[in-house]
Structure formats: structure tokens, C-alpha cells
């Protein structure tokens, strides 16, 4: 195995695991997704960026299992680590995962809205329309949880337009 940069091959392996986590989640194979998230944690020993990515995957699995509090905890850890890594895209993704977890709780709707709004702004600045659309989608859910129907529809409409543009 050729080493690519300081953590290059680990980063490539983590990227493949992230994609597999998303695929397992989409297929409803949450045990397999959880195993891949744990494998990512094992790769992340000395890399803050890899640790944040692993925590983001852990958050997604917990959210899909219906454990919003565990999802918030994992996403909060991801965000703290992402900020230390000084990677705007990773910070945006961590904000997105935290917002997604928070809107699923009983009392985190405003925090979810705030975090999704910040994530959308980061992704817009980076030109990442797909993630910007995901952030707007989470904003729509958060608005909906607050019974703010007009804002929810506007956010969902923008999310749809961004998805179609991709």
C-alpha cells in the first residue's frame, strides 16, 4: 500500500467508508453502517479531520436508529474536532450533521435552524450546491417543527432547486 501524504491512504479509505455508510443507511442496513463508522474511528487515531468524519458518520447512524440524543452528541464532537482542523468544508458538514440531529429532538429546533443556516452559508461560499441543498432541506424540517409553514416551504423549494441544479 503506497502512502499518499501524511494521512493520504487513510483519508482515501475513510472516504470509501463514508460512502459505504451512506449506502448502508439508504438500504436500511444500520448495523453495517455502524460497523463502518467504527472502522473509521479506528483509522482516525491521529487525524482530527478523520475523527470528525467518523463522528459525523456515527451521528448519521444514531439519527437513523432514532437515537437523536446520541446523534447530537456525536455531531457535537464532530463539530468541535472539525473546527480544530480548520477545514471549512468539514466544519460545514459537521454543522449539517448537528442540525440534522437536533431537529429530531424535542427541543433542538431553533439550534437546528441556526446550525443549518450556517452550514448552508459555508456550502454556498464553497460552491457546494449539493450540500447547500441538504442544509436547506434540514432548515425546512426545522421550520416545520416550529410550525413555520411558509419558511419551511421556501427552504424546501430552494433545496429542491439546488438538487435539480446538481
Amino acid at each position: 500500500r503506497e502512502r499518499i501524504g501524511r494521512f493520504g491512504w487513510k483519508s482515501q479509505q475513510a472516504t470509501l467508508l463514508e460512502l459505504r455508510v451512506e449506502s448502508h443507511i439508504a438500504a436500511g442496513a444500520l448495523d453495517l453502517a455502524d460497523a463502518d463508522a467504527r472502522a473509521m474511528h479506528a483509522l482516525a487515531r491521529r487525524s482530527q479531520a478523520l475523527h470528525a468524519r467518523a463522528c459525523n458518520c456515527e451521528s448519521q447512524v444514531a439519527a437513523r436508529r432514532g437515537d437523536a440524543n446520541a446523534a447530537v452528541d456525536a455531531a457535537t464532537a464532530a463539530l468541535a474536532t472539525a473546527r480544530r482542523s480548520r477545514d471549512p468544508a468539514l466544519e460545514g458538514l459537521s454543522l449539517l450533521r448537528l442540525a440534522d440531529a437536533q431537529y429530531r429532538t424535542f427541543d433542538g429546533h431553533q439550534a437546528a435552524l441556526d446550525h443549518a443556516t450556517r452550514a448552508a452559508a459555508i456550502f454556498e461560499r464553497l460552491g457546494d450546491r449539493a450540500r447547500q441543498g441538504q442544509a436547506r432541506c434540514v432548515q425546512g424540517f426545522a421550520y416545520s417543527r416550529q410550525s413555520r409553514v411558509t419558511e419551511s416551504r421556501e427552504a424546501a423549494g430552494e433545496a429542491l432547486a439546488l438538487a435539480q441544479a446538481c
Side-chain angles (χ1 to χ4, degrees):
R1 180 164 63 186
E2 182 180 328
R3 190 167 180 173
I4 305 166
R6 185 163 179 214
F7 295 105
W9 67 267
K10 286 185 178 184
S11 180
Q12 288 180 343
Q13 191 172 5
T15 298
L16 294 174
L17 285 167
E18 279 175 314
L19 292 170
R20 207 161 68 175
V21 165
E22 290 181 16
S23 293
H24 288 318
I25 288 171
L30 297 180
D31 289 339
L32 294 173
D34 185 51
D36 284 345
R38 283 185 274 122
M40 288 180 68
H41 276 293
L43 286 174
R45 288 200 176 97
R46 286 181 279 178
S47 169
Q48 292 193 25
L50 293 181
H51 178 71
R53 291 165 62 187
C55 288
N56 279 325
C57 285
E58 180 184 342
S59 177
Q60 285 183 285
V61 173
R64 294 326 177 272
R65 282 192 165 147
D67 191 347
N69 293 325
V72 168
D73 290 345
T76 299
L79 180 58
T81 306
R83 285 182 171 151
R84 286 193 299 272
S85 78
R86 300 186 186 279
D87 178 347
L90 185 56
E91 182 176 347
L93 180 61
S94 299
L95 284 164
L96 174 59
R97 297 296 179 234
L98 180 56
D100 182 68
Q102 288 172 322
Y103 96 80
R104 297 168 190 273
T105 67
F106 289 108
D107 59 356
H109 308 139
Q110 186 58 48
L113 183 57
D114 295 342
H115 289 127
T117 301
R118 289 192 357 226
I122 289 170
F123 294 131
E124 182 176 21
R125 229 177 11 258
L126 295 174
D128 187 339
R129 287 181 168 178
R131 295 278 191 211
Q132 182 185 359
Q134 290 174 3
R136 291 293 286 154
C137 184
V138 172
Q139 283 179 302
F141 287 132
Y143 280 130
S144 178
R145 293 287 177 109
Q146 295 177 336
S147 299
R148 295 168 63 182
V149 176
T150 302
E151 293 100 327
S152 178
R153 286 186 180 154
E154 287 172 4
E158 187 176 331
L160 178 60
L162 286 162
Q164 289 171 332
C166 290

